Amino acid sequence: MILGFNIGFLEVSIVDILDIGLVSFLLFQVYSLMRGSVAVRIFVGFLSLYLIYLVVRAAEMELLSAILGQFMGVGVIAVLILFQQEIRKFLLLLGKTTSFNSDNGFLSNLPWKKRKRGDEFNITPLIEASKSLGGTNTGALIVLSKGSELKFYSESGDLIDAIVSKRLLISIFNKTSPLHDGAVIIHKGRITAARCVLPVTEKDVPAQFGLRHKAAIGMSEATDTVILIVSEETGQLSVARNGTIYHNLSNQEIRSKINDYLTEDKKKRSKESKKESTEQETVQ
């Protein structure tokens, strides 16, 4: 073991420092994930109880150590029960950012993956439909996905598989339509499903936002998507992305947000290619 330095009778090595740093980073990520929800109080309570258990065991209080030890023995099961929503959210985020993700990882470099990148669609019918829906104060919730087909969420509603069109979207969200209650999922220029159920965020949101906005934020937290919301009360248009909601946007701003989402991979690849060409020129 490589010795770093001494603090009294303690010998602190580089590995110990690395261990403490990783644990601190993990705890901070867990806190950030649960911040703003009731679960953070439960987490702090569990952490405090565990620290007390460590102190009691170090002080060799056998009776109290035995009692707390029995509680800690079933603590893993209790954590799984109490934090099932947070654990699910963490695993979703992990799956979204992992290198095995077909949209962002090394699998995206395969030839057939590269061909799929060319599948784009005209968002004008979507913008025009949202404008018409907002003008009549007709609520709408539209999810756009450029990568995953979101089968888990699509199967919670009614499968459609149709080309995006203004009239179809207006018909779906018509207040007399049996499909208007829920979200529409669009993937690769096609309406995959309607009346879909989305996860609701657990963050504290302003009172002006209703269930549609909370579901949009929750969906953007769990998946790499952009969600368009039309308010039924005010007719205002909003966009949710990566857990953040952009409220009261114009049609041009909506178009810009969606285009940025759909073309960000191309922009990233363009920057990387420019960087590589610059490095090659420097070497030469």
Side-chain angles (χ1 to χ4, degrees):
M1 181 179 294
I2 303 176
L3 183 63
F5 54 89
N6 295 332
I7 301 179
F9 61 91
L10 294 177
E11 294 182 352
V12 182
S13 67
I14 296 177
V15 176
D16 294 329
I17 298 174
L18 181 61
D19 187 22
I20 294 172
L22 290 174
V23 171
S24 302
F25 177 76
L26 180 61
L27 291 176
F28 175 76
Q29 293 299 320
V30 172
Y31 173 76
S32 300
L33 187 65
M34 297 186 298
R35 183 172 52 191
S37 64
V38 180
V40 68
R41 299 180 182 178
I42 303 175
F43 173 73
V44 172
F46 264 106
L47 186 61
S48 302
L49 190 61
Y50 181 68
L51 293 176
I52 293 173
Y53 169 68
L54 294 178
V55 172
V56 168
R57 190 175 63 176
E60 297 182 352
M61 297 180 177
E62 296 183 1
L63 182 59
L64 194 55
S65 296
I67 295 174
L68 293 177
Q70 292 294 327
F71 182 79
M72 291 299 166
V74 296
V76 176
I77 300 176
V79 166
L80 291 176
I81 295 174
L82 293 173
F83 296 104
Q84 55 180 327
Q85 294 294 333
E86 283 71 22
I87 293 173
R88 181 175 178 272
K89 186 186 297 183
F90 174 76
L91 294 176
L92 285 170
L93 291 174
L94 185 65
K96 187 172 71 172
T97 57
T98 181
S99 60
F100 290 97
N101 188 291
S102 59
D103 304 318
N104 302 320
F106 67 90
L107 293 178
S108 60
N109 294 322
L110 296 175
W112 54 88
K113 294 293 183 182
K114 290 182 179 180
R115 286 196 296 268
K116 288 183 179 179
R117 285 173 179 161
D119 297 338
E120 299 178 353
F121 67 96
N122 184 15
I123 65 172
T124 299
L126 175 62
I127 303 299
E128 293 179 349
S130 62
K131 179 180 178 181
S132 299
L133 292 169
T136 57
N137 283 22
T138 302
L141 188 58
I142 304 172
V143 180
L144 281 85
S145 174
K146 62 182 177 182
S148 173
E149 295 181 13
L150 305 175
K151 288 184 178 180
F152 176 79
Y153 300 102
S154 297
E155 291 174 355
S156 67
D158 296 325
L159 300 179
I160 295 180
D161 190 22
I163 297 176
V164 176
S165 70
K166 174 183 176 181
R167 287 177 293 181
L168 180 56
L169 287 172
I170 292 176
S171 299
I172 290 175
F173 289 110
N174 187 288
K175 296 178 181 179
T176 60
S177 170
L179 298 176
H180 82 282
D181 189 16
V184 161
I185 294 179
I186 298 176
H187 174 66
K188 302 286 187 181
R190 300 186 69 86
I191 299 177
T192 305
R195 206 176 61 85
C196 300
V197 180
L198 304 184
V200 179
T201 183
E202 296 183 2
K203 295 195 304 185
D204 292 331
V205 297
Q208 67 186 39
F209 294 144
L211 186 59
R212 282 192 180 89
H213 295 83
K214 292 180 180 179
I217 297 173
M219 187 66 173
S220 68
E221 291 173 338
T223 61
D224 182 21
T225 55
V226 63
I227 299 92
L228 173 62
I229 313 105
V230 181
S231 174
E232 187 173 355
E233 296 181 356
T234 63
Q236 294 176 342
L237 306 181
S238 305
V239 167
R241 178 82 201 281
N242 292 330
T244 303
I245 189 165
Y246 305 91
H247 185 53
N248 193 17
L249 302 179
S250 65
N251 293 327
Q252 188 59 38
E253 289 172 328
I254 293 290
R255 183 183 293 274
S256 177
K257 292 288 184 184
I258 295 176
N259 280 329
D260 288 343
Y261 166 73
L262 294 175
T263 60
E264 65 180 0
D265 290 340
K266 288 186 176 181
K267 292 179 180 178
K268 187 184 298 184
R269 292 195 299 272
S270 177
K271 289 181 180 179
E272 291 176 353
S273 62
K274 288 181 180 178
K275 184 178 179 180
E276 290 177 358
S277 61
T278 304
E279 291 176 352
Q280 291 176 356
E281 291 176 358
T282 304
V283 172
Q284 293 175 355

